[in-house]
Amino acid sequence: MNFLAHLHLSDPGAESWIGSLIPDFSDKSDPESYPDVIYKAILLHRRIDIFTDNHPVFIKSRSRIDNRYRLLKGILVDMFYDHFLAKHWNNYHSKSLEQFSNEIYDALLSHRKIMPIRLQRASDYMIAENWLVSYRELDGIDLVLKRMERRLSRPTVLGEGIDALVNNYTEIEIDFKAFYPDLQEFVKQEKQAMRQ
């Protein structure tokens, strides 16, 4: 899953939100050096990624994408699922996507000191360009994929990934709607286990 899903699935609060983003922006392998709330959010992020990558519906979504994207298929499906989460946000959260996103942005601004440098830099762009809300639109996903491609050390076709979404839109939307409740239930169980 990508940023929006990880933020949505984490416990509410600045440290949980930041912890849910850290694994994508830090090579630091020892989450125990963080406060307990952040530590648990990092662990949850990692468990979500493992669950997602091995879920049959996620695997089906990856198989829908043209083989020219090869190892990028998982990244693309992560982004596409964030698009469908944003599109159907009101089915999954009581606050509007705009309100939720503003709370995230406020937390990122007020807790910069505890974030890895790469997350600090990314959060500046995330806030300035309103990434989380932009995921609702195809243009927003297209822009993010093009930016991701520019950050990669080797040339890829990631920047053309919007085509994979457009060409498989209905099928991947159906996949997302089947997958996300399973992920929510998994996260609920993981959180309960962490509290014991």
Side-chain angles (χ1 to χ4, degrees):
M1 301 307 293
N2 202 54
F3 307 145
L4 183 59
H6 279 295
L7 290 162
H8 174 246
L9 294 166
S10 71
D11 286 331
E15 288 189 339
S16 289
W17 290 329
I18 288 166
S20 74
L21 294 176
I22 283 175
D24 288 331
F25 293 98
S26 177
D27 298 328
K28 192 171 193 169
S29 59
D30 180 18
E32 292 179 14
S33 63
Y34 290 102
D36 189 57
V37 173
I38 294 177
Y39 166 75
K40 287 180 178 174
I42 291 170
L43 290 182
L44 183 61
H45 176 118
R46 291 177 178 170
R47 291 174 185 168
I48 287 169
D49 284 352
I50 292 167
F51 176 86
T52 298
D53 289 344
N54 292 287
H55 195 283
V57 176
F58 188 85
I59 292 168
K60 184 195 296 183
S61 291
R62 278 199 322 248
S63 74
R64 297 183 189 285
I65 297 175
D66 190 285
N67 282 332
R68 74 189 183 103
Y69 295 101
R70 286 184 278 230
L71 298 175
L72 302 170
K73 290 181 178 188
I75 295 170
L76 290 172
V77 175
D78 282 344
M79 287 300 308
F80 301 164
Y81 279 13
D82 260 17
H83 165 67
F84 291 115
L85 176 58
K87 179 181 176 183
H88 300 290
W89 182 258
N90 293 338
N91 295 334
Y92 300 103
H93 205 286
S94 58
K95 294 180 181 176
S96 71
L97 180 58
E98 289 79 6
Q99 185 179 359
F100 177 81
S101 299
N102 286 333
E103 289 178 11
I104 299 295
Y105 301 153
D106 288 344
L108 293 173
L109 286 170
S110 62
H111 290 75
R112 288 181 65 83
K113 291 181 181 178
I114 62 173
M115 300 185 326
I117 297 295
R118 286 177 56 213
L119 179 52
Q120 289 179 19
R121 290 181 188 141
S123 68
D124 291 339
Y125 292 107
M126 184 185 295
I127 295 164
E129 298 169 3
N130 199 8
W131 285 0
L132 301 178
V133 173
S134 79
Y135 290 168
R136 199 165 37 204
E137 305 301 329
L138 290 177
D139 287 346
I141 298 296
D142 186 37
L143 186 61
V144 169
L145 291 173
K146 284 180 167 55
R147 286 211 177 97
M148 288 170 69
E149 181 182 37
R150 284 198 299 263
R151 289 196 308 269
L152 297 174
S153 57
R154 294 184 279 171
T156 71
V157 292
L158 188 61
E160 301 167 24
I162 196 67
D163 295 340
L165 177 56
V166 170
N167 293 337
N168 300 281
Y169 195 89
T170 301
E171 295 84 356
I172 295 177
E173 184 171 25
I174 290 168
D175 292 348
F176 169 79
K177 288 179 178 179
F179 166 78
Y180 205 68
D182 287 356
L183 179 58
Q184 288 179 294
E185 181 58 31
F186 169 78
V187 168
K188 180 180 174 184
Q189 292 172 10
E190 288 296 308
K191 287 180 179 179
Q192 288 173 348
M194 286 182 182
R195 291 186 186 108
Q196 294 175 353

